[in-house]
Amino acid sequence: MRSVFALLLLGLSAGCAAAQAPPSYVVFFQEWSAALDEPANGVIGHAAAWAKTHPGMTIQVTGFADPTGSRKANVLISELRAQVVVDQLATDGIDPSRISQVGEGSVQPALSTQESRRVQVSFHAR
């Protein structure tokens, strides 16, 4: 019985540690677009708010594209999408020196091409 209780406590403490992991935010885009719509601005606003309360974290902004088009075009659109998100984070009050960005180009979708047309905003300890 004690070993079951100890395992339960261990599991609860591990769950608490996992709950402390920084969030990741995802912004989706329309085909061949880097325009931010209202939902995208909302996601970026949440990311900026989290970043403001965690000033010791760096921010990685990674852009992606769907597999339609040439490799070069997909790299360029993924870089542009990342830049648009970085610009909005800065507008929302985040110091650009905390942010790094990269455009990964095209990725194969798991479910739909929509999920490939995205920017991920993730946080990392300095």
Side-chain angles (χ1 to χ4, degrees), residues 45-57 59 89-95 98 123:
H46 286 293
W50 197 90
K52 288 176 186 175
T53 61
H54 297 82
M57 304 290 279
I59 305 162
L89 286 167
T91 298
D92 289 347
I94 303 305
D95 183 351
R98 292 178 58 193
F123 296 89

Side-chain angles (χ1 to χ4, degrees), residues 29-112:
F29 292 86
Q30 296 300 313
E31 192 170 11
W32 294 111
S33 175
L36 296 174
D37 57 15
E38 189 174 328
N41 281 320
V43 170
I44 297 167
H46 286 293
W50 197 90
K52 288 176 186 175
T53 61
H54 297 82
M57 304 290 279
T58 61
I59 305 162
Q60 175 68 44
V61 176
T62 308
F64 300 94
D66 67 33
T68 306
S70 72
R71 182 182 183 291
K72 185 173 183 172
N74 285 323
V75 169
L76 290 172
I77 192 74
S78 66
E79 289 172 345
L80 179 59
R81 288 172 176 158
Q83 184 63 56
V84 166
V85 171
V86 167
D87 291 346
Q88 187 60 49
L89 286 167
T91 298
D92 289 347
I94 303 305
D95 183 351
S97 70
R98 292 178 58 193
I99 306 170
S100 60
Q101 72 184 72
V102 65
E104 292 288 336
S106 67
V107 293
Q108 291 298 322
L111 299 174
S112 72

